[in-house]
Amino acid sequence: MTSRAQQRVDRALAGDRRSLARAITLVEMRSPGVGTALATTTVRRRAGPGAPHVVGITGPPGAGKSTLADRIIEAAVAAQQRVAVVAVDPSSPFSGGAILGDRVRMGRHTGNDLVFIRSLSSRGHLGGLSAASAEVVDLLDAAGFDLVLVETVGVGQSELGVMEVADTVVVVLTPESGDAVQTMKAGLLEIADVFAVNKADRPGADRLVRDLQRSIELNQAKGWQPPVHATSAAEGRGVDALLDETRKHLAWCAGEGLETWRTRRGDALIRLYLDLVGEAARAEARTTLDAGLEEAIRTHRITPHQAAQGKR
Ligand SMILES: Nc1nc2c(ncn2[C@@H]2O[C@H](COP(=O)(O)OP(=O)(O)O)[C@@H](O)[C@H]2O)c(=O)[nH]1
Ligand SMILES: [Mg+2]
């Protein structure tokens, strides 16, 4: 028998947009059906880097990530590429302001057959966001998109998990978002494959570009050295050069950087596994939390710690 989720996935893979949107909603609700369907589906990235190119876009709120995504969509569509955007908003359990802003920012592309834009919100699930993003990206991969953009704010633990699904991570900074030293302290160098210094139409951008480049050189890491690019997403300047850089990074992943790419993919898969097992254990704990045990915890007869260790 084919499950409803399987049917949704089958239709989504056949190109039906509404089924794709519904399948993503199932993932968001942590319904296991889509994951089960994906297990027997051709997810191209399982074979190695190449297609789709999954590009993560992260950085502080207001840096211009969505505006940049909008420009990247524009360039991709001009090249007849199919592009999907997943806007992940960990801060808001009920898709709040940021996502609404994104609708406005990228809205002009909705209705274009080559473009699919979707937001994911946390809905109160800790860790569920990276798991949901990973499954949604697999779904978009199987559905045949050429380019998948994953936008998320900041650098907290859940965002790092979200960025792990990407082949290439673009960290977007602005002259206002702090200097190179702060960027390094925030751990952004570890996750950046490409830096975009956006709002280059404003003063201070050249200086930030130079300081970042110097910090990267001083860091003397092996392997891929993240290039730093000035962009003005608002004016559409520097975006093509930035895209070239992301493509070079993908080519590096497929060649010299294959081991690095495989390690990151592996880390993402292990994280997904642990998240899924964690979610299942939590659900199981909920169902075994009977009235007696709940009362015992609430009245301090036993501590949550003792209860978690099986004491009653
Ligand atoms: N001056 C200037 N403003 C920009 C640029 N890119 C984005 N913005 C503006 O910055 C604000 C935040 O942009 P948005 O893309 O929503 O940022 P996000 O929160 O990182 O997604 C918006 O008002 C944009 O119009 C740029 O290159 N130059
Ligand atoms: Mg945004």
Side-chain angles (χ1 to χ4, degrees):
M1 201 192 79
T2 3
S3 72
R4 296 258 302 261
Q6 180 74 57
Q7 285 174 359
R8 291 256 148 87
V9 170
D10 288 345
R11 283 198 208 123
L13 301 192
D16 180 43
R17 288 309 175 90
R18 194 183 282 210
S19 297
L20 180 57
R22 289 202 179 136
I24 292 176
T25 303
L26 288 178
V27 172
E28 214 176 13
M29 288 158 50
R30 311 308 304 134
S31 145
V34 174
T36 306
L38 281 171
T40 53
T41 299
T42 304
V43 172
R44 290 169 292 160
R45 282 208 306 167
R46 285 180 194 149
H53 188 189
V54 181
V55 177
I57 305 180
T58 191
K65 298 178 295 297
S66 300
T67 313
L68 204 54
D70 174 82
R71 293 293 183 183
I72 295 173
I73 297 170
E74 192 175 59
V77 167
Q80 286 298 305
Q81 284 196 312
R82 293 180 63 200
V83 53
V85 183
V86 188
V88 185
D89 188 0
S91 60
S92 130
F94 319 98
S95 50
I99 299 234
L100 237 97
D102 291 344
R103 284 265 154 74
V104 176
R105 231 78 77 207
M106 294 180 270
R108 64 186 173 123
H109 299 293
T110 52
N112 186 323
D113 282 346
L114 293 171
V115 183
F116 181 84
I117 299 173
R118 174 60 187 249
S119 55
L120 281 186
S121 60
S122 70
R123 306 206 170 172
H125 290 277
L126 266 181
L129 262 180
S130 53
S133 315
E135 286 189 349
V136 168
V137 166
D138 277 358
L139 194 57
L140 295 166
D141 173 325
F145 286 92
D146 303 300
L147 178 63
V148 177
L149 303 178
V150 182
E151 176 192 337
T152 190
V153 159
V155 284
Q157 271 314 111
S158 63
E159 294 87 339
L160 283 181
V162 172
M163 283 299 106
E164 216 168 55
V165 310
D167 302 305
T168 305
V169 175
V170 178
V171 171
V172 185
L173 301 168
T174 66
E176 290 87 18
S177 64
D179 60 18
V181 175
Q182 282 170 291
T183 305
M184 300 302 132
K185 276 197 188 141
L188 286 167
L189 184 57
E190 278 81 62
I191 67 156
D193 298 308
V194 179
F195 280 104
V197 173
N198 192 41
K199 307 200 183 180
D201 48 284
R202 290 194 182 157
D206 290 345
R207 193 200 162 128
L208 180 56
V209 169
R210 276 198 310 275
D211 287 352
L212 283 170
Q213 281 168 339
R214 198 170 311 128
S215 307
I216 292 162
E217 278 164 29
L218 284 173
N219 192 47
Q220 287 189 323
K222 288 204 185 67
W224 175 263
Q225 299 293 307
V228 185
H229 268 276
T231 57
S232 171
E235 295 173 351
R237 282 194 293 122
V239 179
D240 286 339
L242 180 74
L243 271 174
D244 272 349
E245 221 50 81
T246 64
R247 288 190 204 105
K248 273 187 206 151
H249 178 259
L250 183 66
W252 179 81
C253 290
E256 206 185 317
L258 191 57
E259 275 318 304
T260 307
W261 182 87
R262 283 205 179 118
T263 302
R264 194 191 284 179
R265 284 305 306 139
D267 289 349
L269 296 174
I270 296 299
R271 182 191 293 270
L272 178 55
Y273 163 74
L274 293 174
D275 282 349
L276 294 173
V277 172
E279 279 173 14
R282 200 182 164 91
E284 169 72 16
R286 260 273 153 221
T287 58
T288 55
L289 180 60
D290 56 53
L293 180 58
E294 182 156 352
E295 190 59 16
I297 297 171
R298 285 180 186 275
T299 56
H300 303 285
R301 197 142 43 71
I302 60 173
T303 65
H305 202 99
Q306 290 171 312
Q309 287 173 337
K311 203 162 177 175
R312 307 221 62 175

